[in-house]
């Protein structure tokens, strides 16, 4: 399969580089500045499993004329509209669009633009970011990608894509319940982003203060209630996994949303915290801690925009 990766940031850069290193036919759709950086330095990955670099094939939006078998979308939510306009020429009648963005709102946007038959559900669990030199830095040794038909079947195309992505450095799983998987990730991320941004601290530091653990799990309960009312009650293994995740002493874990705040960047707060809170309001669920976290990051965004102007 021919793969077009949208962007070469933390998500697209990590998974795309792994595919290139394994011999995959991969192109990266990037902006001119990032293209120049990649031509000069290659696509570099700093990983607990060993650092490496690949020389990627690069396409600029104006040069995109042909269709691809797979379009892997890993941009930030606030860049999705521009990205869709740019990669539209790559989408043919049989193209699979695999989004691995955070949250759920993007599924509706992609479906509205390209049609339900083109869009898969997907999620990624990788703790990574770009450093000042444009390298993809993997902070922890997790690198899962899960995807499937939104309707729930294990189709031939999904199984073929699973085979394609089964390369060193990617833990891949085709799912018959991708919307359940995505809702559980939505709950986990809303909890992690909400509490670490609200406290401006890692999970380990939050656990070390009075009522820290209780605050984490109050927010977790609020998000679980929204998922349950939406028809996707979190499953027992997920609850147990997150309970361990959020009670690990000295854990350095923090949301990428907090990393964005720390470097003064725009965040995905409304796509994650705002969307979860809006769904809660529509369902009549009270989420005071979630609302506070949303307001906290929204106030940061106002200050950031004022400073920029």
């Amino acid at each position: 399969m021919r793969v077009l990766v949208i962007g070469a940031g933390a998500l697209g850069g990590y998974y795309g580089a792994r595919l290139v290193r394994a011999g995959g036919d991969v192109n990266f759709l990037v902006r001119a500045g990032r293209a120049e950086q990649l031509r000069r330095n290659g696509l570099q990955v700093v990983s607990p499993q060993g650092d490496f670099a690949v020389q990627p094939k690069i396409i600029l939006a104006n040069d995109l004329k042909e269709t691809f078998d797979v379009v892997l979308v890993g941009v930030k939510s606030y860049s999705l509209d521009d990205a869709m306009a740019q990669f539209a020429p790559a989408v043919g009648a049989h193209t699979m669009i695999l989004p691995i963005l955070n949250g759920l709102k993007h599924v509706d946007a992609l479906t509205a633009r390209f049609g339900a038959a083109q869009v898969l559900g997907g999620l990624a669990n990788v703790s990574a970011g770009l450093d000042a030199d444009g390298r993809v830095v993997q902070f922890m040794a997790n690198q899962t990608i899960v995807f499937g038909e939104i309707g729930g079947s294990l189709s031939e195309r999904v199984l073929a894509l699973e085979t394609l992505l089964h390369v060193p450095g990617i833990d891949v799983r085709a799912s018959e319940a991708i919307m359940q998987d995505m809702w559980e990730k939505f709950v986990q991320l809303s909890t992690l982003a909400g509490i670490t941004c609200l406290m401006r601290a890692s999970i380990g530091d939050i656990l070390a203060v009075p009522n820290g653990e209780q605050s984490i799990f109050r927010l977790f309960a609020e998000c679980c209630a929204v998922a349950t009312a939406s028809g996707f009650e979190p499953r027992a293994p997920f609850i147990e996994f997150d309970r361990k995740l959020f009670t690990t002493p000295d854990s350095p874990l923090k949301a990428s949303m907090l990393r964005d705040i720390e470097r003064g960047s725009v965040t995905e707060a409304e796509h994650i915290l705002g969307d979860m809170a809006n769904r809660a309001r529509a369902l009549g669920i009270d989420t005071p801690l979630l609302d506070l976290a949303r307001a906290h990051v929204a106030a940061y965004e106002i200050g950031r925009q004022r400073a920029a102007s």
Side-chain angles (χ1 to χ4, degrees):
M1 293 184 184
R2 301 186 65 239
V3 179
L4 180 66
V5 177
I6 309 305
L11 284 179
Y14 178 80
Y15 290 109
R18 289 293 185 185
L19 286 172
V20 173
R21 195 183 192 202
D25 186 354
V26 181
N27 285 260
F28 293 83
L29 179 64
V30 295
R31 294 188 175 95
R34 182 62 166 152
E36 176 57 31
Q37 188 178 50
L38 292 173
R39 291 190 185 103
R40 185 172 61 250
N41 302 325
L43 178 52
Q44 301 179 56
V45 177
V46 179
S47 170
Q49 303 172 78
D51 303 347
F52 68 95
V54 298
Q55 196 60 46
K57 292 189 288 185
I58 297 166
I59 299 178
L60 300 179
N62 291 339
D63 299 324
L64 185 59
K65 310 295 183 185
E66 56 187 337
T67 61
F68 286 75
D69 300 304
V70 181
V71 175
L72 180 66
V73 186
V75 299
K76 293 286 191 178
S77 60
Y78 46 75
S79 300
L80 182 60
D81 288 344
D82 287 343
M84 288 192 296
Q86 291 175 356
F87 74 70
V91 180
H94 302 291
T95 300
M96 289 180 280
I97 301 173
L98 173 55
I100 51 174
L101 286 72
N102 292 321
L104 294 171
K105 286 180 68 176
H106 60 275
V107 174
D108 292 337
L110 287 164
T111 298
R113 177 67 184 264
F114 299 106
Q118 306 293 116
V119 182
L120 301 175
L123 62 89
N125 283 312
V126 60
S127 180
L130 289 186
D131 69 8
D133 297 319
R135 301 180 303 173
V136 177
V137 180
Q138 185 183 10
F139 303 114
M140 302 170 66
N142 58 319
Q143 59 244 351
T144 303
I145 188 167
V146 183
F147 58 89
E149 300 285 359
I150 291 175
S153 65
L154 273 183
S155 63
E156 288 186 10
R157 68 176 185 171
V158 162
L159 293 175
L161 185 54
E162 182 182 40
T163 299
L164 175 76
L165 294 172
H166 192 267
V167 301
I170 301 180
D171 299 326
V172 60
R173 177 171 64 86
S175 173
E176 294 182 275
I178 190 59
M179 291 307 297
Q180 178 74 38
D181 296 322
M182 290 175 70
W183 260 102
E184 289 174 352
K185 172 72 182 297
F186 191 23
V187 166
Q188 181 188 83
L189 182 59
S190 296
T191 302
L192 178 63
I195 202 65
T196 61
C197 289
L198 186 59
M199 302 293 285
R200 298 289 180 98
S202 68
I203 289 295
D205 290 346
I206 296 169
L207 290 171
V209 304
N211 295 314
E213 181 176 332
Q214 294 90 328
S215 297
I216 294 171
F217 285 101
R218 286 192 194 104
L219 180 53
F220 185 61
E222 291 177 7
C223 296
C224 284
V226 179
T228 299
S230 300
F232 297 94
E233 180 178 3
R235 296 165 291 192
F238 166 78
I239 298 290
E240 180 61 24
F241 178 87
D242 272 23
R243 185 161 295 280
K244 292 179 180 177
L245 183 72
F246 294 139
T247 56
T248 301
D250 302 319
S251 171
L253 181 64
K254 59 175 70 172
S256 60
M257 192 180 297
L258 177 55
R259 297 185 191 280
D260 291 334
I261 290 173
E262 289 172 340
R263 64 173 178 262
S265 299
V266 64
T267 73
E268 293 185 294
E270 279 305 296
H271 185 74
I272 305 300
L273 303 177
D275 188 36
M276 182 68 84
N278 290 340
R279 291 171 189 268
R281 295 292 79 73
L283 293 164
I285 297 171
D286 191 29
T287 54
L289 202 52
L290 175 65
D291 294 343
L292 181 60
R294 178 193 192 180
H296 178 87
V297 184
Y300 155 79
E301 290 286 5
I302 291 173
R304 184 190 63 80
Q305 291 168 12
R306 182 184 298 114
S309 62

